Amino acid sequence: MFPTDLLSLAEDVVARARAGGVMLATAESCTGGLVAAALTSVAGSSAVLEQGVVTYSNEAKTRLLDVPPALLEAHGAVSRPVAESMAAGARSRAGVDVAVSVTGIAGPGGGSADKPVGLVHFGLAGPGGVRHVERRFAEADRQAIRLAATQQALEMLRDALS
């Protein structure tokens, strides 16, 4: 289901989390659960993954992750403040050590001049606070953008566990 490099990355994340006794959660929009799916492809991931939440709609982001409606209205779902709020909400709601979030535009439609197809915002919430990464993926199709975003989220988790 996943390319070998993504599976290796997921294995590394699970191994590092297990070694550190760290519990994880994911909050995903455009990846539709691919980050959690990659992690759960690894045997033993149940020891470190508390939950993964797919919050595709704004209402779900508010209901399940406590993203303030005003934040969504002011910045839109695909934005730094929403990615950070999603990660913080996932960490708080799941009661975990580290949570990663993904929100973006995978296409082929839905983009604009300000927010083109391939724009993805990531949040990572951990003991040291919340950090953000913005990526603009040039991949040509929806699945390629979703896989590239999954890789970025896994890399952020790996780096947080170093």
Side-chain angles (χ1 to χ4, degrees), residues 9-29:
L9 185 54
E11 288 171 353
D12 191 23
V13 169
V14 170
R16 288 172 189 245
R18 284 187 76 147
V22 175
M23 291 300 292
L24 308 172
T26 66
E28 304 178 62
S29 186

Side-chain angles (χ1 to χ4, degrees), residues 54-55 57-67 69 72 93:
V54 176
T55 55
S57 70
N58 287 351
E59 293 78 14
K61 288 173 180 65
T62 296
R63 185 175 66 255
L64 299 173
L65 300 172
D66 298 322
V67 176
L72 288 157
R93 283 287 187 108

Side-chain angles (χ1 to χ4, degrees), residues 6 9 25-32 34-35 61 77-88 90 99-106 118-126 129-139 144-157 159:
L6 273 182
L9 185 54
T26 66
E28 304 178 62
S29 186
C30 67
T31 48
L34 288 175
V35 179
K61 288 173 180 65
V78 180
S79 65
R80 177 181 185 153
V82 170
E84 291 173 341
S85 184
M86 286 172 65
V100 69
S101 68
V102 185
T103 182
I105 303 169
L119 173 64
V120 184
H121 289 272
F122 302 85
L124 184 95
V130 180
R131 74 180 199 97
H132 165 263
V133 169
E134 176 184 319
R135 294 287 307 272
R136 292 177 185 254
F137 297 108
E139 281 75 8
I145 290 169
R146 293 174 74 221
L147 287 173
T150 299
Q151 179 173 339
Q152 175 65 48
L154 290 171
E155 289 173 354
M156 289 174 71
L157 286 170
D159 294 348

